[in-house]
Amino acid sequence: MCGIVGLFLKDKTLEPQLGAMLTDMLITMTDRGPDSAGIAIYGPVGDQAKLTVQSDNPDADFQTLAEDLADVLTSPVSLGRNDTHAVLSVANDKVSAARQALRELRPGLRIMSDGDAIEIYKEVGLPREVAERFQLTSMSGSHGIGHTRMATESAVTTEGAHPFNTGADQCLVHNGSLSNHNALRRKLMREGVRIESMNDTEVGAAYLTWRMQNGATLGEALESSLEDLDGFFTFVVGTKDGFGVVRDPIACKPAVMAETDQYVAFGSEYRALVNLPGIEDARVWEPEPATVYFWSR
């Protein structure tokens, strides 16, 4: 049992409140997932790519990281630290080289995400504690997704927490269990898709990345997941332009959505949505089984 939340803002005036709204939604889902929590925020797109990294020893790992990475890349790098995480800004054509260099410069670092807009923050702990340590309420952006985890398939660790990022600006949160993830992991890794954990959710994220890398839209990738993924699942997927939702044909995992002129929101339960502005006038519904929903700019 896990808790999922998602928020896509249509009204740009709400963007400074995105982090606060998502944090409130996430904390409400604490009893569905007290082990760990994470959030993906899609902020403004600048002229550089961003890599969000995490360290168990941030004081040592982050101290000269920007300078060390810039030396290897022969290109400017800036670093903004946020507790155990840091956002590295690099030239758009240096992302692959930066990922490789980080493995050599700081083997203990974990790369949480990369892309033009996405930043992912996740750690072990109660959602309120995770939100406070990263000051999530102060973050702004156009959309975001979050997850509270109750571990069933793997250990309670930072790398096991959601969201999972397997392609530029793409991430996934998941409630459920995939039964064919081991075979699919092997297939996707042969295709060159990046998978770094044994978590079944990361395989789901990697599958969607693979489909989109081969020309599918997000909607088409979610449609094909209904045929190719075995198990029971509710997915909420973030991309640079928006987010999508799909439930498996049995749809045993709870889900509710709400839409107004200002936003589209998703929650595992309605109580995650009750404090959103104008929720009393929203169109509220339960997503249909085996049906893809997505919104984009």
Side-chain angles (χ1 to χ4, degrees):
M1 182 173 72
C2 298
I4 302 174
V5 298
L7 189 59
F8 176 84
L9 298 179
K10 303 177 185 179
D11 183 350
K12 287 185 175 294
T13 67
L14 289 177
E15 291 186 2
Q17 302 175 48
L18 177 69
M21 295 163 73
L22 270 172
T23 297
D24 181 76
M25 297 167 72
L26 195 70
I27 290 172
T28 304
M29 293 289 94
T30 295
D31 60 353
R32 295 193 63 86
D35 297 334
S36 56
I39 193 168
I41 292 280
Y42 289 85
V45 175
D47 57 1
Q48 289 190 305
K50 298 188 289 187
L51 290 92
T52 309
V53 297
Q54 183 269 353
S55 171
D56 292 335
N57 189 17
D59 288 340
D61 282 341
F62 295 161
Q63 186 174 10
T64 63
L65 180 57
E67 295 85 351
D68 295 344
L69 185 57
D71 287 343
V72 174
L73 299 180
T74 62
S75 177
V77 175
S78 63
L79 180 150
R81 180 177 171 180
N82 188 347
D83 196 73
T84 58
H85 289 44
V87 177
L88 296 164
S89 296
V90 304
N92 290 298
D93 62 351
K94 298 288 187 179
V95 173
S96 295
R99 294 185 72 96
Q100 178 61 39
L102 286 170
R103 282 192 283 269
E104 298 172 1
L105 290 170
R106 302 289 191 277
L109 278 187
R110 302 179 182 96
I111 299 175
M112 300 285 97
S113 63
D114 72 64
D116 295 331
I118 190 173
E119 297 177 14
I120 288 180
Y121 300 91
K122 58 183 183 179
E123 277 291 4
V124 172
L126 292 170
R128 184 181 298 278
E129 296 168 352
V130 173
E132 288 175 351
R133 71 189 300 177
F134 295 120
Q135 299 180 310
L136 297 179
T137 57
S138 65
M139 294 183 182
S140 62
S142 57
H143 57 292
I145 61 178
H147 187 270
T148 63
R149 184 174 185 230
M150 184 176 289
T152 57
E153 294 288 334
S154 55
V156 179
T157 60
T158 301
E159 55 266 53
H162 304 203
F164 282 96
N165 164 256
T166 52
D169 283 309
Q170 183 241 310
C171 69
L172 172 72
V173 292
H174 166 217
N175 183 18
S177 180
L178 301 179
S179 57
N180 65 334
H181 64 95
N182 287 322
L184 192 55
R185 180 184 292 104
R186 291 191 292 270
K187 174 183 177 180
L188 293 171
M189 291 182 73
R190 287 196 298 268
E191 294 287 335
V193 181
R194 184 179 73 245
I195 302 176
E196 298 179 354
S197 77
M198 297 304 294
N199 192 289
D200 62 331
T201 302
E202 188 177 18
V203 175
Y207 169 82
L208 297 174
T209 296
W210 173 66
R211 291 286 297 165
M212 287 188 281
Q213 286 175 348
N214 284 278
T217 65
L218 172 59
E220 290 167 343
L222 290 172
E223 289 278 3
S224 65
S225 74
L226 296 167
E227 297 292 330
D228 294 340
L229 302 181
D230 294 335
F232 50 95
F233 55 87
T234 295
F235 287 162
V236 178
V237 184
T239 69
K240 184 163 77 170
D241 298 321
F243 85 149
V245 174
V246 69
R247 303 170 80 195
D248 69 85
I250 299 174
C252 63
K253 293 298 182 180
V256 62
M257 302 198 70
E259 183 170 14
T260 72
D261 291 339
Q262 293 183 298
Y263 58 80
V264 181
F266 176 94
S268 291
E269 299 177 33
Y270 178 73
R271 59 194 172 101
L273 313 180
V274 295
N275 291 327
L276 293 174
I279 189 66
E280 62 277 3
D281 298 317
R283 180 173 74 93
V284 179
W285 76 100
E286 181 181 346
E288 294 290 334
T291 303
V292 171
Y293 302 83
F294 62 96
W295 290 261
S296 63
R297 300 189 181 281

